[in-house]
Amino acid sequence: PQVLVTAVPMAASILIFELAGSLLLGLDRQASYVRAALLEGVGSLAFTLLILFTVAGTADGFMAAAILGYLLGAGYAFTVVRGRVGRLRAAWDGGFSRRNLAFGVRGQAGNIIQFMNLRLDLLFVPALLDLAAAGVYTIAVRVSETVLLAATSAGSLLFPAVAGQADARSTAVTEGIVRATLLVVAAGAIALSIIAAPFLSIAFGPAFESGAVAVRITAAAMLPLALFRLLAGDLKGRGRPGLVSIAALIRGMSMRQGATGARPHRF
């Protein structure tokens, strides 16, 4: 319960960071957006080391460090935005708010479904096997997800790029970003598959080395997932977030159908 209570301010800090980053993208300040993200990541790591080793080596300490990292990145982003537009003033525009709420709800439905799809396996693994296997599998999946970071970042930048292009029917930007990003994701997946066993053993202990098979399987699965995220950014930029939600729902239904017929397998 205490961790869940701490998660509330963490969720708030994430929302503040996302808002600040969205303002940078809306102002066409992609370089500043990347710097804010780097500052958030480096800051979170620095605060984590500081708090865990000097203040509180607990889950609450880790959450506090993450919150400070998000606020650090958001603070930088808001500083850049203020330097670009001047004083920030809250204002209400009913028509603008209704249009954006409608757009956001259609897109957020897909975001929630994607999140559930990505974490659905963490419910099935302990049900089919046991908690020990679930622990190994969870670490393996989170490690393999690192190769997806390039696609997630590219998708975030693709959204405003497509929305702001002069020719609404042009796909040149999307095609270039998709080709380059998929090459990066594929190279990362291959490299991670090669070093999976020794990396898991060194980083998490010999007991986790058995998760290397799961790393290789899920690393390969990151390629179509990366394509999905890139195309989602393109569709949102064209004002079609509902299509992303429909695609995520279809993907989720197919995953659940496959899971119900799955046979237990111990990694």
Side-chain angles (χ1 to χ4, degrees):
Q2 182 59 38
V3 173
L4 292 178
V5 170
T6 310
V8 173
M10 183 173 181
S13 67
I14 294 174
L15 289 175
I16 293 172
F17 176 77
E18 292 292 340
L19 172 61
S22 297
L23 291 175
L24 288 177
L25 291 177
L27 292 171
D28 199 26
R29 299 297 297 270
Q30 287 88 349
S32 296
Y33 175 83
V34 172
R35 283 194 288 270
L38 288 173
L39 189 61
E40 179 273 321
V42 174
S44 294
L45 179 59
F47 286 128
T48 298
L49 294 175
L50 178 65
I51 293 177
L52 291 186
F53 288 102
T54 62
V55 181
T58 62
D60 289 338
F62 176 80
M63 299 280 273
I67 291 171
L68 291 175
Y70 280 117
L71 293 180
L72 181 64
Y76 167 79
F78 278 123
T79 301
V80 175
V81 171
R82 185 172 182 179
R84 180 72 179 271
V85 304
R87 183 179 178 182
L88 299 176
R89 298 178 180 178
W92 174 260
D93 184 326
F96 178 82
S97 300
R98 285 191 295 272
R99 290 193 303 272
N100 281 274
L101 181 61
F103 184 91
V105 167
R106 296 199 305 271
Q108 183 64 7
N111 293 338
I112 294 174
I113 295 171
Q114 287 185 61
F115 176 81
M116 294 177 63
N117 292 342
L118 199 59
R119 295 288 173 257
L120 186 65
D121 51 355
L122 300 184
L123 297 177
F124 283 106
V125 171
L128 294 173
L129 300 175
D130 53 52
L131 288 178
V136 174
Y137 176 76
T138 299
I139 292 297
V141 171
R142 297 309 297 267
V143 168
S144 64
E145 286 177 3
T146 57
V147 304
L148 191 62
L149 295 177
T152 302
S153 301
S156 298
L157 297 174
L158 185 59
F159 179 7
V162 170
Q165 61 187 5
D167 183 1
R169 298 178 62 86
S170 175
T171 60
V173 173
T174 300
E175 291 172 14
I177 291 179
V178 166
R179 284 193 293 266
T181 304
L182 291 184
L183 285 175
V184 172
V185 173
I190 293 172
L192 185 60
S193 299
I194 293 173
I195 66 170
F199 175 78
L200 290 174
S201 180
I202 295 172
F204 301 99
F208 288 87
E209 187 174 346
S210 59
V213 175
V215 169
R216 296 185 182 105
I217 295 174
T218 52
M222 292 302 114
L223 199 61
L225 183 56
L227 179 59
F228 181 89
R229 292 198 172 180
L230 292 169
L231 296 180
D234 176 271
L235 288 172
K236 290 177 181 178
R238 299 179 191 280
R240 304 298 298 275
L243 290 179
V244 179
S245 297
I246 293 173
L249 179 61
I250 294 173
R251 174 172 170 262
M253 293 175 62
S254 64
M255 287 178 61
R256 282 188 285 274
Q257 290 176 355
T260 54
R263 298 178 62 184
H265 172 73
R266 182 172 297 278
F267 295 103

